[in-house]
Amino acid sequence: MKPGLIISFKGSLHYLLDQETGQIYPVELSGKARYLQQNLYVGDLVNFSLLNQQVQINSILPRKNKLNRPNIANIDHLIIVASAINPPFSFDLLDRFLINSSFYDLEKSLIITKIDLLTPKELEQLKESLTYYRDQLHLHIYYESSKKPQDYLADEDFLNSKNIIKCFSFPINALSGQSGVGKTTLLNKLAPEQIRKTQEVSSALQRGKNTTSHYELSKISATNTYICDTPGFLNLDINYLEADQLKNYYPDFINNTCRYGNSCTHTVEPECSVIKDQLSGKISQIRYNNYVKLYQYLKEKK
């Protein structure tokens, strides 16, 4: 048997990379073997054999994680892509992505695109509003401009060649974010040999037209690692959580010594230290307000 990596899913076919030779094969299965194909995820490590240049998947190796939206396995690093404007930056979506990364125990980074559409003052204000996420949550934040990169090359947090190597050093990196934030444009920059169609954002709807119709791992030559673009969406579902579990995925709350311990919801309890800290500014009020909103949503879904 040979080691393989599922690198793409297009239509009804998966594509497998032979990790010994670098050859790519379509995976066409029938009969009982079709069960394996139906359960394949991009990022899966498999054992396979070849018969007349036809791939036979013998087994799927144990996964360290599996995301169902997008359908990707064995992710090391979640890269949240958000635009500074058009569509506007959303702290609500950012917090939802961070919950997801904590749930799946993923490394995480944030890339903010379209910064050239902001004035210098607006960009500074955006950076200031993200200070809490950078310093308290240890979120790596990078800024990107596809149209005027020369204006920002000297900025230490701009996604220049040095920061590309730093950000994308993990074996499998997944891009996630709303439609229209520039994930495909970013992917074209990182893997230019695999040019993808990009579309402008509808100014009327303030959302993009999704250009990604399949899942695919692309090789980043600068880091010799993989990146996957994923279909954009408008709302990140967190229904896999119960309301009383939500606080477990807020590390800035967990590190806080609340007098009520794990039984505290951090929403209405008198003398709750998390509530006190958000009132004093120690915990971001924006992030705390998002937490309360999500808590109520999960509580009411019953």
Side-chain angles (χ1 to χ4, degrees):
M1 290 190 295
K2 296 161 66 69
L5 171 67
I6 303 299
I7 61 169
S8 179
F9 173 67
K10 301 177 182 178
S12 61
L13 284 179
H14 290 83
Y15 290 82
L16 176 146
L17 172 70
D18 185 329
Q19 292 182 294
E20 293 180 343
T21 67
Q23 183 73 30
I24 296 175
Y25 299 96
V27 179
E28 300 183 71
L29 300 180
S30 59
K32 292 182 179 179
R34 187 177 296 277
Y35 171 79
L36 280 175
Q37 184 183 22
Q38 292 173 342
N39 287 275
L40 283 175
Y41 277 52
V42 171
D44 268 335
L45 296 169
V46 301
N47 288 320
F48 75 99
S49 53
L50 282 175
L51 180 62
N52 297 325
Q53 294 301 300
Q54 293 293 314
V55 170
Q56 176 165 338
I57 303 290
N58 302 108
S59 62
I60 302 173
L61 275 60
R63 299 165 173 145
K64 60 183 176 183
N65 54 51
K66 180 183 76 170
L67 273 65
N68 292 320
R69 190 184 184 189
N71 295 337
I72 308 174
N74 300 315
I75 294 174
D76 300 287
H77 184 204
L78 180 68
I79 300 167
I80 305 159
V81 184
S83 54
I85 192 171
N86 191 27
F89 185 84
S90 169
F91 281 96
D92 175 67
L93 282 180
L94 173 58
D95 284 329
R96 288 172 180 256
F97 278 118
L98 292 176
I99 291 167
N100 221 20
S101 67
S102 294
F103 182 83
Y104 290 103
D105 194 25
L106 301 174
E107 295 291 337
K108 71 273 185 189
S109 296
L110 170 65
I111 295 177
I112 298 179
T113 63
K114 306 183 185 181
I115 60 172
D116 50 276
L117 299 180
L118 298 181
T119 66
K121 183 177 180 180
E122 289 172 335
L123 179 56
E124 189 60 34
Q125 289 173 338
L126 176 60
K127 290 185 177 184
E128 180 64 26
S129 67
L130 285 163
T131 300
Y132 178 86
Y133 289 80
R134 183 196 65 200
D135 296 344
Q136 301 302 318
L137 302 181
H138 309 293
L139 179 64
H140 300 290
I141 304 174
Y142 303 96
Y143 296 86
E144 168 67 359
S145 168
S146 62
K147 295 186 177 180
K148 297 181 180 179
Q150 67 280 358
D151 293 351
Y152 306 96
L153 289 176
D155 296 356
E156 62 178 16
D157 51 9
F158 183 70
L159 194 65
N160 53 30
S161 56
K162 179 181 178 180
N163 282 332
I164 285 175
I165 293 174
K166 181 180 177 182
C167 182
F168 296 95
S169 61
F170 298 89
I172 295 182
N173 305 271
L175 297 179
S176 264
Q178 283 180 287
S179 297
V181 297
K183 298 190 304 297
T184 303
T185 300
L186 180 60
L187 187 55
N188 289 341
K189 173 180 178 177
L190 297 167
E193 69 282 359
Q194 300 187 46
I195 299 298
R196 286 157 178 79
K197 180 182 177 182
T198 58
Q199 298 178 339
E200 292 298 324
V201 175
S202 166
S203 58
L205 294 178
Q206 285 292 291
R207 63 186 181 186
K209 296 180 179 179
N210 186 12
T211 62
T212 308
S213 57
H214 60 270
Y215 304 123
E216 179 178 6
L217 294 182
S218 300
K219 193 72 167 287
I220 304 175
S221 57
T223 56
N224 200 34
T225 58
Y226 289 98
I227 187 170
C228 184
D229 188 11
T230 62
F233 48 88
L234 294 180
N235 191 28
L236 187 63
D237 188 9
I238 58 167
N239 284 324
Y240 57 84
L241 290 176
E242 298 297 330
D244 60 357
Q245 296 175 317
L246 181 63
K247 60 180 178 290
N248 298 330
Y249 301 99
Y250 277 71
D252 41 340
F253 293 8
I254 295 173
N255 294 334
N256 190 295
T257 306
C258 183
R259 64 175 293 183
Y260 299 104
N262 197 47
S263 63
C264 189
T265 68
H266 308 315
T267 58
V268 296
E269 293 83 353
E271 303 300 316
C272 168
S273 58
V274 171
I275 295 176
K276 285 184 176 180
D277 282 350
Q278 68 89 17
L279 289 173
S280 69
K282 188 175 180 181
I283 288 177
S284 164
Q285 190 170 34
I286 293 176
R287 182 162 160 81
Y288 176 78
N289 289 343
N290 285 339
Y291 166 80
V292 173
K293 182 171 65 174
L294 292 173
Y295 176 85
Q296 292 298 331
Y297 164 76
L298 291 172
K299 186 178 179 180
E300 292 169 4
K301 75 173 184 177
K302 294 181 178 181

